[in-house]
Amino acid sequence: MADALFEKVALIGLGLIGSSLGHAMKRANIARHITGHARSKQTRQTALEIGFVDAVFENMTDAVSDADLVILCVPVGICGSICEQISPHLKQGAIVTDVGSVKVAVVAACARHIPSGVHFVPGHPMAGTEFSGPTSGFAELFDNRWCLLTPLLDGDPQATKKMTEYWQACGANVETMTAQHHDVVAAITSHLPHLIAFNIVGTADDLEDVAEREIIKYAAGGFRDFTRIAASDPTMWRDVFIHNKEAVLEVLGRFNEDLASLAKAIKEEDGYKLYEQFERTRHIRQNILDDERKK
Ligand code: NAP
């Protein structure tokens, strides 16, 4: 394994993203040695049995000791406290990154705990499923998906370059942007769609004249897709909404205005407006498919 990108990589958090990274690193020989830490003994044991890590530690400071790369794969709300705990144990020259779905809040919580001589390169792979835990990961999760890096203004360009190589070796395409811009992009492409799914499934469940068994029985097409998204991990998504509050509320405001305008069109039987809107959105779907075909 002479060409491993990193000698030792530590995964803090061994759920969907942590385990997928472990598998992807094994697939491409990215690290000579992968250590892991998770809160529960059960998760640590499962990770070791599956084999996407080489060693697990009950104490996260032991997992990061001597690591060249430390990846935080935990809910965004605890990234700051984890950085604080591991900070004195980080090796000089090491890179610390995260995979959190929110960037401004994670940078604010983590950057101040990163010691000088250690490089912090925040990141977010735009890839996931509704499953969680160490058995849910797979090596192909990041293939052809985007990973967005949000380097700090005074960050080391070499560390960003190395993280770009890392994500490319995991199968992803990489782009860099500011943390602020990332949070708006993620709010409209990922956070709002999840909020809508959580809401629509809840609304259906609350409808008094439609029994739950009817929802299950007749759930087809669109609604079925919403239930899949609405099955996503509650802890992760609670943290995402609380920590990306401003950007989510901003796009939610726009969404509510547009929804009110569609409701008005329905009320007024404005077929032209409805048709025009549906044709526009159908065109966007076509563009996405065309873009995918080019990859
Ligand atoms: P997950 O499957 O629920 O895994 C979370 C992991 O974090 C588990 O191993 C859990 O350990 C560990 N953990 C939780 N609290 C901890 C603590 N206090 N100390 C140490 N370990 C702790 O979550 P995930 O889907 O991989 O998400 C992880 C991160 O990736 C989140 O920040 C999320 O925003 C981001 N992300 C998720 C997706 C997605 O679609 N899921 C996509 C892109 C980015 P136990 O198992 O022992 O509880």
Side-chain angles (χ1 to χ4, degrees):
M1 249 206 281
D3 54 348
L5 202 54
F6 289 98
E7 276 297 309
K8 181 172 169 181
V9 175
L11 295 170
I12 306 298
L14 304 169
L16 171 69
I17 304 295
S19 61
S20 295
L21 280 176
H23 289 297
M25 284 192 274
K26 294 275 176 201
R27 180 182 67 173
N29 285 340
I30 294 171
R32 265 186 216 276
H33 189 68
I34 306 173
T35 60
H37 163 81
R39 187 170 46 172
S40 68
K41 188 173 178 195
Q42 175 69 54
T43 297
R44 296 194 298 269
Q45 246 167 15
T46 306
L48 206 51
E49 275 161 29
I50 297 173
F52 61 80
V53 288
D54 301 308
V56 288
F57 294 90
E58 185 180 349
N59 196 332
M60 71 178 95
T61 57
D62 292 332
V64 305
S65 150
D66 266 339
D68 307 283
L69 173 64
V70 176
I71 312 179
L72 309 181
C73 307
V74 293
V76 291
I78 57 162
C79 286
S81 94
I82 286 188
C83 273
E84 188 175 11
Q85 290 173 65
I86 61 174
S87 170
H89 307 271
L90 295 169
K91 180 167 122 174
Q92 277 293 297
I95 298 176
V96 175
T97 189
D98 76 299
V99 297
S101 311
V102 172
K103 295 275 64 82
V104 172
V106 167
V107 170
C110 292
R112 61 204 162 104
H113 298 300
I114 305 292
S116 73
V118 174
H119 311 292
F120 181 40
V121 185
H124 176 204
M126 305 286 278
T129 73
E130 68 277 26
F131 300 109
S132 47
T135 57
S136 59
F138 52 100
E140 299 77 20
L141 179 66
F142 310 108
D143 286 354
N144 265 322
R145 308 300 298 271
W146 286 101
C147 179
L148 306 181
L149 298 179
T150 63
L152 307 187
L153 277 178
D154 58 352
D156 174 22
Q158 284 308 317
T160 304
K161 185 168 173 276
K162 193 129 189 208
M163 285 316 297
T164 302
E165 286 167 25
Y166 174 85
W167 279 106
Q168 286 170 341
C170 288
N173 305 309
V174 181
E175 205 141 280
T176 58
M177 59 180 64
T178 65
Q180 287 77 3
H181 188 64
H182 164 277
D183 283 1
V184 179
V185 170
I188 186 67
T189 58
S190 167
H191 305 170
L192 187 62
H194 276 81
L195 192 68
I196 292 166
F198 291 128
N199 190 53
I200 195 171
V201 177
T203 302
D205 193 37
D206 288 343
L207 280 182
E208 276 149 21
D209 23 355
V210 182
E212 191 178 326
R213 67 187 151 69
E214 285 181 290
I215 296 173
I216 294 167
K217 187 170 166 189
Y218 301 124
F223 188 74
R224 206 183 162 77
D225 288 345
F226 279 123
T227 60
R228 182 184 62 73
I229 299 171
S232 299
D233 187 66
T235 306
M236 170 190 154
W237 284 99
R238 175 203 64 196
D239 279 17
V240 166
F241 290 118
I242 290 174
H243 291 86
N244 198 21
K245 185 169 78 173
E246 278 171 27
V248 169
L249 290 178
E250 165 79 30
V251 295
L252 187 60
R254 292 280 296 271
F255 174 83
N256 284 336
E257 280 171 24
D258 293 342
L259 194 62
S261 142
L262 279 180
K264 185 166 175 280
I266 294 170
K267 196 171 167 193
E268 292 170 359
E269 298 179 18
D270 184 350
Y272 177 77
K273 163 124 185 129
L274 293 173
Y275 187 90
E276 196 189 28
Q277 169 79 359
F278 302 158
E279 195 182 44
R280 182 160 68 101
T281 56
R282 182 184 232 188
H283 192 62
I284 290 171
R285 169 75 182 168
Q286 197 52 52
N287 287 346
I288 291 173
L289 294 179
D290 289 349
D291 212 43
E292 277 172 8
R293 251 178 248 120
K294 279 185 220 144
K295 282 181 189 166

